Amino acid sequence: MTNPTDRGRVHVDDGPKRVRVFLRGERLADTTHVKLVYEVPYYPQYYIPISDVRMDRLAPSESSTHSPSRGDARHFNVTTGDYTVADGAWQYDTSPIEALRELIRFDFDAFEWFEEDEPIMVHPRNPTTRVDILDSSRHVQVVIDGVTVADSHHPRLLFETGLPTRYYLPRVDVRMDLLEPTDSKSACPYKGTAEYWTVAVGENRHADVAWSYPAPILESQKVAGLVCFYNEKVDLVVDGEPLERPRTKFS
């Protein structure tokens, strides 16, 4: 029998955390009854009960969107003071998934979000995703175009649900003379903000193939300042055995 809160790829769960939404310092939503709505399989979005939203800050817009699984959404402009986020929130008030009808979905990127008293970024954290960082004495070598770019017996291995093992290496074990810093950055809700390097080997340049978290969030402090290379884009040798390049969204 199909769960009445499931439809297609969409799944709805109760969230255990207090969640708050802010815009320019004004609190727009505050709930201890948040819903985790899996619009994609990898992570949820937060949907908030109307009773916990400052609906006086939401004005219906002329926009609407359609989802094959969630139905039609009517959109709202969200205003605080003299600042407005156009179509910053929406509601599936006639959704075939009954659990969504009395909930508001805010555009995650347009607002500040807090789980309990801690800010979150990128998207809500998936409660089924785990990140473990372990010290290791494995011998890890990174080879690019036949050149050994890193060689370490002191890696820290990061195990993250759904991704290949990542090998974070001390900079003293990396040929930093071959790494050129770039302006690229990325954000991860589990680790923080990463900075990138291009690796130059001879005339070949491998853009943004290595990264580091200079100031990771508390749970990932063990990788602070260490260098990691995409398994998908370099040749990794662990304890003398070459690893196959995995196929992921980073390939």
Side-chain angles (χ1 to χ4, degrees), residues 10-189:
V10 175
H11 175 69
V12 183
D13 277 334
D14 293 326
K17 301 171 183 174
R18 180 189 183 190
V19 172
R20 288 176 288 170
V21 184
F22 288 81
L23 179 62
R24 295 198 166 187
E26 181 171 355
R27 184 169 56 191
L28 300 175
D30 187 344
T31 187
T32 55
H33 302 287
V34 74
K35 295 290 186 181
L36 302 173
V37 180
Y38 291 82
E39 302 170 347
V40 297
Y42 316 111
Y43 56 83
Q45 291 292 345
Y46 281 142
Y47 281 57
I48 299 174
I50 288 177
S51 58
D52 293 330
V53 175
R54 287 286 306 276
M55 293 302 294
D56 60 314
R57 295 292 185 260
L58 276 62
S61 76
E62 296 180 357
S63 300
S64 62
T65 51
H66 176 76
S67 163
S69 54
R70 286 163 282 158
D72 295 319
R74 60 190 186 108
H75 288 227
F76 299 87
N77 297 327
V78 183
T79 299
T80 178
D82 60 356
Y83 184 78
T84 297
V85 177
D87 298 323
W90 53 96
Q91 179 188 9
Y92 293 93
D93 56 345
T94 60
S95 175
I97 305 176
E98 186 176 354
L100 300 183
R101 296 176 187 172
E102 298 298 319
L103 304 175
I104 297 294
R105 159 82 146 84
F106 286 93
D107 180 357
F108 196 90
D109 293 336
F111 302 92
E112 295 176 89
W113 293 79
F114 287 79
E115 291 176 345
E116 298 299 334
D117 291 341
E118 296 192 6
I120 59 172
M121 64 176 72
V122 187
H123 58 73
R125 286 174 278 202
N126 187 338
T128 65
T129 294
R130 182 182 176 97
V131 175
D132 291 306
I133 303 168
L134 303 178
D135 290 317
S136 176
S137 57
R138 295 197 193 195
H139 182 199
V140 177
Q141 297 167 289
V142 178
V143 181
I144 299 177
D145 294 338
V147 175
T148 300
V149 177
D151 190 326
S152 181
H153 289 273
H154 305 285
R156 283 183 172 161
L157 276 53
L158 188 146
F159 304 90
E160 181 173 343
T161 305
L163 288 175
T165 303
R166 299 300 190 191
Y167 299 87
Y168 284 79
L169 310 175
R171 295 194 187 201
V172 294
D173 295 333
V174 178
R175 287 280 308 274
M176 297 301 296
D177 59 307
L178 301 179
L179 274 61
E180 301 172 359
T182 74
D183 293 329
S184 299
K185 294 183 185 296
S186 67
C188 170

Side-chain angles (χ1 to χ4, degrees), residues 180 182-184 196-199 206-211 230 233:
E180 301 172 359
T182 74
D183 293 329
S184 299
Y196 286 78
W197 288 276
T198 287
V199 176
H206 301 266
D208 294 334
V209 76
W211 72 90
Y230 278 113
K233 300 178 181 181

